[in-house]
Amino acid sequence: GPSRIRVGLKPAGRAPVREGADILSGGGTIGTVTSGGFGPSVGGPVAMGYVETAYREPGNEIQLSGRRGPEPATVAKLPFVPHRYVRS
C-alpha cells in the first residue's frame, strides 16, 4: 500500500495551521500539512495533510509545527462535519 495517506487534523488551540507545516510525533517528522484554516462549522481550526500510514487512525495524538513551536493536535475523521443532504 501507500507509504503516506491524507488525514484530517484538529489543532488543540485556536490558531490555524498553514500549508507546509510539519506534522510531528515522537520527536520526528511524520508528514506535512497541505491546507489549513478556520472551520466555521466545526467552531475551530482544521487542517489536512499527509502522514505515514502508521499514524492514520482518528484520535492519534500528534503535534504540528507552529510559529511558537510544536502545538498539540489529533488526527480527525473526514469529513469534519457529516453531510446533511438527502439524495433523491
Side-chain angles (χ1 to χ4, degrees):
S3 62
R4 301 178 101 190
I5 191 163
R6 184 175 57 100
V7 295
L9 306 166
K10 282 190 143 182
R14 300 286 296 162
V17 178
R18 301 295 180 197
E19 175 185 355
D22 290 331
I23 303 171
L24 313 167
S25 182
T29 301
I30 61 166
T32 305
V33 174
T34 56
S35 64
F38 186 79
S41 298
V42 177
V46 293
M48 286 191 291
Y50 284 93
V51 298
E52 296 173 9
T53 55
Y55 299 93
R56 70 179 179 212
E57 294 301 319
N60 278 344
E61 299 289 327
I62 55 162
Q63 294 182 331
L64 303 170
S65 64
R67 294 182 197 142
R68 291 174 246 130
E71 304 275 340
T74 56
V75 175
K77 187 175 178 184
L78 291 175
F80 294 108
V81 178
H83 299 279
R84 291 183 277 171
Y85 61 85
V86 177
R87 188 178 247 174
S88 51

